[in-house]
Structures are given as C-alpha cells and as structure tokens.
Amino acid sequence: MKKILSTLCMALFGVAMMAQQPVITFEKTEHDFGKINEGDGRVSVVFNFKNEGMAPLVLSNVRASCGCTTPTWTKEPVEPGQTGSITVTYNPNGRPGRFQKTVTITSNASEPTTKVFIKGEVIPKQAKPVNKYTVKVGDLSMKSLTLDLGTIKKGEAKGGELEYANLTQDEHSVDLLSNALVDAYLGSQVTLPKMKANETGKFAFSMDTKAAKLYGPVEANLYVMVDGKRVIEDAYKLTVKANIEEDFSQMTVEQKQQAPILETINNVDLGTAVAGKVLKGQLELKNTGVNPLELRRAYSTEKDLVIKPCKAVKSGKKGHIGLEINTKGMKPGQYSRQVMVITNDYQRPVQKVTVTWVVE
C-alpha cells in the first residue's frame, strides 16, 4: 500500500511540475506561399505563438534548414498568457522551382523542440531582350557577330543561326551583303527583312563543304545592311566559321592498306639572317605508303610566312613545301611560326610543324 501511495505521489508531483512549465502553442505551423516570382525578391510570413503554461517562455534558438531562409523571433521572455512571433523570410533569387523548408525552434517549453514549415514555387524571372542582344549593329542589336559551326566532314552541309532584334521604336529593313565567292558555299537567309519595334529575327546560314575548296579552318564574312546602308566595317561584319575535315569513315580495309602515309615531319630551321634579308627553306614530305600523298592544305596563322605548296608525292618519294620569310623590320632575336600540314593520310591527316630562325 505504501509503495502504491509513493508512486501516486511522484506522478502527481510530475504533473504539478509540468503544469508550472511554459507551453508554446502556434496559430499555425505551416505556410504555403504559392507561386512567387523570382524577380520580386524576398517573401516573409509571421508565425504567432502563445505561452499557455505557468512560467515565462524563452526561445533559446530558431534555426532554418538552409541559408536561403532567415528567421527572426521574440528574444524577450514571454509571460504566461502572452504572445510572441517568429518571422521567416525566404530568398527566391537563383532558386527557381518548388521549395519546402523547415524552421526548428528550441525553448524551455514543456516540449523543448518544435517546428514550423514553409513551402511554395518560384517562377523564374525572364531575361529582358536588352540583356540578350548586347551587340550593336547600327539600329539593330544582336547576341553575337560570330557563328561557329564546329567541325564538318568534307561533303556534308551544316547550318546555324544568328539572332537579331529591333530594340528601337522605329521600323527598319534588314539584309545581308555578300560576294559570289562566299555565296558559292555559304547560303544565307534573312528571316525577318522588315522589322517593327521590339521584333526579333534570325540570319540563317548553311555551309556546303562540297563547294568549299579548303580543308581545316575556314571563315566567311558578310555584312549587315540596315535600311539599305552598305556599310563595310567591323561593326557590321558577321563571321561564319567552321573546321572542314576529310571523311575517312567509309574506307575499306583494302583502301587503308593502300593508303599513303606521311612520315613524321621534323621541325624546320631556316637559319640566321641579317634584318631585312629574305630567308628561304623547305618542309619535306615523305610518302612511305602506297597511293600518292596529296597535300590538302599547308597554312600558318601568321601572314608574314609565305608557304608554297607541292604536288602529290608518289610512294617512296619526297615532296617539298617552300617556306619564305622576310625579316624586314624584325629586331634581333629568335623567332618561330607554326605551320599546319593537312594531307590524305587517314591515320594522321593533320601535322603541326614549328619553323624557326634567328635575326642578327
């Protein structure tokens, strides 16, 4: 009997102690922002709570589940029967899509840890046309003046587009100025030749490598005509680039066995010259394969190096590419240039050679 009375007393004591603790209750523990615009900035909600206990309520910490959510809360003790609040702010910038975040509250209440929740969906902000079309071409605006079509196999065609916009309040006509040589392998189309305010159009291009005579990097330049003005300057120049490669994918085993082979090319030293003199040399091509070795192209990115191509090289024979550099205006020192050699050797169609010389 004494044991039962003792247990009952302890239980009653525990209830009495709990009754003297603060008790936190919320009007709501979840808030749905619904759809919010990323461009409108931060959004906030207030979670109100009440102390329904018998002792002062103190919030020791309020922590969000991520850095995009910031809580602020009542720091002073909340007396019994009084209210406090927690303001939760969410930053949608750079966070498109649905979200759900948790805020954890730690206090001296009878339930020491409680949670509130926020959720919603961020609608991404739309880029303004002025931010997309930043390159000025007269009264037009474009994203870029250059279109890179990448690598194209010889015999294939590939196309691409350059966008333009009329960000003025006036109407404008649009056209392209080209030449017969470019038109032979680069077709072009203006999708919107007459533009009203805030309209956008495209220059569409298609490169036909069957008609292009070069291998390796090729480039075509055209000029934009606005309102019929034929202005030939860099601000109006469009550049379409591509890298044309020979297609060896359909070669048979027999064709590969009979194919030409370009022996590894050594670097070329043109020697030493007094400034103002012309240095000449040769780049040797040796065919160790069966069929004739054909030089598709030899070029340097520097214009001061003159390259004279050679004819096809028969099996076991040598051919020579002429090299010539005028040292006029060069200061004393060592110089070098890179020469790219493109042949019909299917295993190594492109070889890079360094040409060096010294000016005294």
Side-chain angles (χ1 to χ4, degrees):
M1 184 68 179
K2 290 182 178 180
K3 186 175 181 180
I4 294 174
L5 289 173
S6 176
T7 303
L8 180 61
C9 288
M10 289 180 67
L12 291 173
F13 178 76
V15 171
M17 290 295 293
M18 290 181 63
Q20 294 179 14
Q21 286 184 294
V23 177
I24 185 170
T25 59
F26 284 89
E27 292 181 357
K28 62 177 182 178
T29 57
E30 183 176 311
H31 179 75
D32 187 352
F33 286 106
K35 293 184 177 182
I36 59 177
N37 294 315
E38 181 185 359
D40 291 343
R42 293 175 171 83
V43 290
S44 298
V45 60
V46 178
F47 290 96
N48 293 312
F49 62 86
K50 184 177 182 180
N51 180 6
E52 295 188 343
M54 301 298 291
L57 171 67
V58 177
L59 275 57
S60 57
N61 191 27
V62 180
R63 178 171 49 85
S65 58
C66 83
C68 58
T69 306
T70 306
T72 58
W73 63 94
T74 302
K75 299 293 196 305
E76 299 80 12
V78 179
E79 298 296 328
Q82 299 301 307
T83 60
S85 64
I86 299 172
T87 301
V88 179
T89 301
Y90 180 73
N91 183 5
N93 187 41
R95 300 177 178 91
R98 293 188 175 276
F99 67 91
Q100 183 166 344
K101 305 298 175 183
T102 303
V103 177
T104 303
I105 302 105
T106 305
S107 70
N108 65 336
S110 56
E111 187 177 347
T113 302
T114 54
K115 296 180 179 180
V116 294
F117 308 90
I118 60 170
K119 62 181 180 179
E121 182 180 0
V122 178
I123 307 303
K125 55 187 174 184
Q126 300 297 317
K128 297 179 180 180
V130 69
N131 294 332
K132 293 169 60 178
Y133 302 94
T134 58
V135 182
K136 294 295 293 181
V137 183
D139 288 322
L140 289 186
S141 298
M142 298 185 65
K143 291 182 178 180
S144 174
L145 296 177
T146 303
L147 173 64
D148 192 344
L149 298 177
T151 298
I152 311 176
K153 295 297 183 182
K154 181 69 172 178
E156 295 180 348
K158 190 175 182 181
E161 297 173 333
L162 287 173
E163 295 184 33
Y164 57 88
N166 176 14
L167 302 182
T168 73
Q169 297 304 308
D170 302 316
E171 292 188 5
H172 295 286
S173 65
V174 185
D175 203 352
L176 284 173
L177 177 64
S178 183
N179 58 58
L181 183 61
V182 171
D183 292 340
Y185 64 94
L186 185 68
S188 61
Q189 179 189 3
V190 180
T191 62
L192 195 63
K194 289 191 177 294
M195 305 184 68
K196 297 180 181 179
N198 297 316
E199 284 190 322
T200 60
K202 296 177 182 178
F203 297 119
F205 302 98
S206 180
M207 183 173 288
D208 180 8
T209 60
K210 291 180 181 178
K213 299 184 182 300
L214 292 177
Y215 287 81
V218 296
E219 174 177 300
N221 295 316
L222 307 90
Y223 292 86
V224 180
M225 295 171 57
V226 183
D227 298 327
K229 295 179 181 178
R230 296 173 176 263
V231 182
I232 302 180
E233 57 185 51
D234 287 346
Y236 288 77
K237 183 171 72 174
L238 303 183
T239 301
V240 182
K241 302 191 296 184
N243 182 51
I244 301 177
E245 289 185 351
E246 192 159 356
D247 188 1
F248 300 105
S249 62
Q250 302 303 314
M251 289 182 68
T252 65
V253 174
E254 183 180 357
Q255 286 174 329
K256 290 181 179 180
Q257 291 173 344
Q258 299 295 313
I261 300 174
L262 174 59
E263 189 176 79
T264 301
I265 307 173
N266 295 319
N267 295 335
V268 178
D269 184 1
L270 297 181
T272 303
V274 177
K277 298 294 183 180
V278 176
L279 280 172
K280 295 183 179 181
Q282 292 183 331
L283 196 162
E284 183 179 275
L285 306 182
K286 184 177 180 181
N287 180 10
T288 59
V290 179
N291 287 334
L293 177 73
E294 297 178 5
L295 178 65
R296 301 302 193 205
R297 185 181 179 188
Y299 67 94
S300 173
T301 56
E302 301 293 338
K303 304 299 183 183
D304 56 5
L305 181 61
V306 178
I307 301 174
K308 300 178 180 179
C310 65
K311 297 180 179 179
V313 182
K314 295 181 179 180
S315 176
K317 301 295 183 180
K318 297 179 182 179
H320 297 89
I321 297 174
L323 303 171
E324 186 176 300
I325 185 80
N326 190 343
T327 63
K328 183 178 180 180
M330 293 184 178
K331 296 180 180 180
Q334 294 182 337
Y335 291 83
S336 68
R337 296 287 184 268
Q338 300 295 325
V339 176
M340 306 301 294
V341 179
I342 304 176
T343 68
N344 62 334
D345 178 353
Y346 80 95
Q347 297 183 86
R348 288 193 303 166
V350 181
Q351 289 197 39
K352 181 169 68 174
V353 184
T354 300
V355 178
T356 59
W357 68 94
V358 174
V359 176
E360 292 182 336

